[in-house]
Amino acid sequence: MTGPRVRAVVVTWNGAHLLPECLDSLLAQDFTPGEMEVLVVDNASTDGTAALLAESYSQVRVLALPRNAGFAGGVAAGTADLVAPGADLSALPEYVALLNNDARFEPDAVRLLVDAADAAAAAGERVGAVTATVLLAERDRDGRVLVNSTGNVLTAAGAAADRDYRVPLDDVQPARDVFGFNGGASLLRTTALREAGGFDAQLFLYYEDTDLSWAMREHGWSVVHEHAARAHHRHMASTGGGTSPTFRYYNTRNSLIVVTRHAGAGAALKSLARQTAGAVLRTVRPAEPAAVVRARWRGLGAYLGWLVTRRGRA
C-alpha cells in the first residue's frame, strides 16, 4: 500500500468555531508523515468554514457537499469510495478514524486505536471497530473528570446508550468487549465497514453508529474498547442536546428504525409502545417545550412512514 493507512473523517456543519481544536488534534497525532490523511466533509456550511479550511488547513482534504446531509450522510460520503462495489481495498486506507467536530483526540489516541486493531487481527480476532474513551469537557462539582462514553450499549428497552456516561473516570473499569462503537471517536476497519454495507445516509443524525455496529456483528465482526485512547468532547455542542427538537425527532425516529431493522417486530413493538406512551404523557402533562413534544410525534410518524416503504438498510 502506497497511500495513507488511516483516513480520519470529520463531518461538520456550521462548526467553524469548533473545527480548529478538532483538526489541530488530528494533525498532532504521533504518526509518521503520510501515514494518516484528514478529510473534512463540509455539509454546506454558511459560517465561513470553507474560508477557514482554505486559509488555515491547506493540508486537510475537503469534501464540500451541496446540502446538509447530517452526520450519517457526511460520513457516508467521506467513506463512499471504501464501500463502492469493485473498489480495490489494497489501494485504500486500512482504517477509518472518526472524530466529532466538537471533540479532540489526545496526541497518541489514533495510534493506540490502530495498535489495538492490529493486535486483535494478529490474534485472529475479527474486530471491526475499536472505540475510544470519550471524556466530557465539563467536570463535576468536585472537579473530577467525567466519562462521556466507553462505547455504545443497548438498554433493556432496546435503546442505545453511552456506556459509563457521566461516571468519574477514576471509577470506570470498562470491559474490552462492547456492543457498539461511539461514532464521535473511534476506528473502523475498512473491510468490516465494507462488509456491513457502510453508513446509512438516510439516518441523517443519531443511531448511525449503533446501526453500523449491529450490522458489523451480523457479519461476524466484533467491537472492542481501547481505554488508553482518549478523546475530549464538548457534548452536544453541535446539536443542542435533548432539549433540541432536531435531536428529539431523529433520536425518536432512528431508534425505532434501527431496533426494527436488527431486533425484529417484537422488540420494535415494545419500543414503539414505550415511545408513544412517552409522547402522550408529555402531551397531557407538558414537561418539555412544545416544539420538542411535536418533534416526538413527528419522529413517530416518520418511523411509521419508513415502515411502509422500507427496503433493507436503505
Side-chain angles (χ1 to χ4, degrees):
M1 179 176 177
T2 58
R5 193 173 184 218
V6 180
R7 175 183 298 169
V9 177
V10 176
V11 178
T12 193
W13 176 70
N14 289 342
H17 60 299
L18 300 169
L19 278 175
E21 188 173 27
C22 170
L23 295 180
D24 289 348
S25 79
L26 286 170
L27 296 173
Q29 292 298 301
D30 59 355
F31 281 116
T32 57
E35 197 172 359
M36 184 176 80
E37 66 172 345
V38 179
L39 171 66
V40 174
V41 182
D42 182 14
N43 271 321
S45 297
T46 58
D47 66 342
T49 290
L52 169 72
L53 294 171
E55 294 168 8
S56 301
Y57 295 97
S58 59
Q59 67 273 59
V60 168
R61 190 156 64 93
V62 178
L63 173 60
L65 300 185
R67 61 179 178 83
N68 182 5
F71 179 82
V75 76
T79 57
D81 58 326
L82 307 182
V83 300
D88 180 8
L89 293 183
S90 67
L92 295 170
E94 184 178 358
Y95 296 113
V96 175
L98 302 178
L99 184 64
N100 273 2
N101 70 342
D102 56 1
R104 65 176 174 86
F105 270 135
E106 292 188 357
D108 60 353
V110 180
R111 177 178 53 79
L112 289 169
L113 293 172
V114 169
D115 288 348
D118 286 347
E125 299 179 80
R126 280 174 56 86
V127 169
V130 185
T131 195
T133 297
V134 186
L135 304 175
L136 292 170
E138 64 184 272
R139 303 287 182 99
D140 70 5
R141 64 181 61 185
D142 297 318
R144 294 179 297 180
V145 176
L146 300 176
V147 171
N148 184 163
S149 177
T150 60
N152 291 351
V153 294
L154 295 178
T155 68
D162 287 311
R163 186 174 65 170
D164 296 319
Y165 181 62
R166 295 194 69 84
V167 176
L169 177 61
D170 291 341
D171 295 343
V172 300
Q173 293 182 315
R176 176 176 178 264
D177 293 324
V178 65
F179 175 81
F181 66 88
N182 181 305
S186 55
L187 184 84
L188 312 181
R189 183 176 290 278
T190 297
T191 50
L193 176 70
R194 182 183 179 84
E195 286 184 21
F199 284 93
D200 180 3
Q202 293 187 47
L203 291 178
F204 191 80
L205 198 65
Y206 303 119
Y207 271 84
E208 66 288 315
D209 48 7
T210 299
D211 179 55
L212 183 56
S213 297
W214 221 322
M216 282 184 176
R217 289 186 168 278
E218 290 164 355
H219 286 79
W221 296 93
S222 64
V223 178
V224 300
H225 168 246
E226 175 50 60
H227 193 44
R230 304 283 169 87
H232 300 262
H233 185 208
R234 291 192 249 176
H235 190 50
M236 298 292 188
S238 57
T239 59
T243 60
S244 160
T246 298
F247 168 86
R248 185 49 56 198
Y249 169 79
Y250 286 111
N251 191 273
T252 298
R253 187 196 73 164
N254 292 352
S255 64
L256 288 165
I257 288 175
V258 171
V259 75
T260 303
R261 181 178 281 165
H262 299 286
L269 284 172
K270 289 180 181 178
S271 184
L272 179 61
R274 177 180 60 82
Q275 296 209 45
T276 301
V280 170
L281 180 62
R282 287 166 176 82
T283 300
V284 300
R285 295 182 183 176
E288 58 190 12
V292 177
V293 176
R294 290 194 297 270
R296 289 181 183 273
W297 286 111
R298 288 192 297 109
L300 290 168
Y303 163 69
L304 295 176
W306 173 85
L307 273 181
V308 173
T309 60
R310 66 179 176 137
R311 295 187 301 274
R313 291 185 71 238

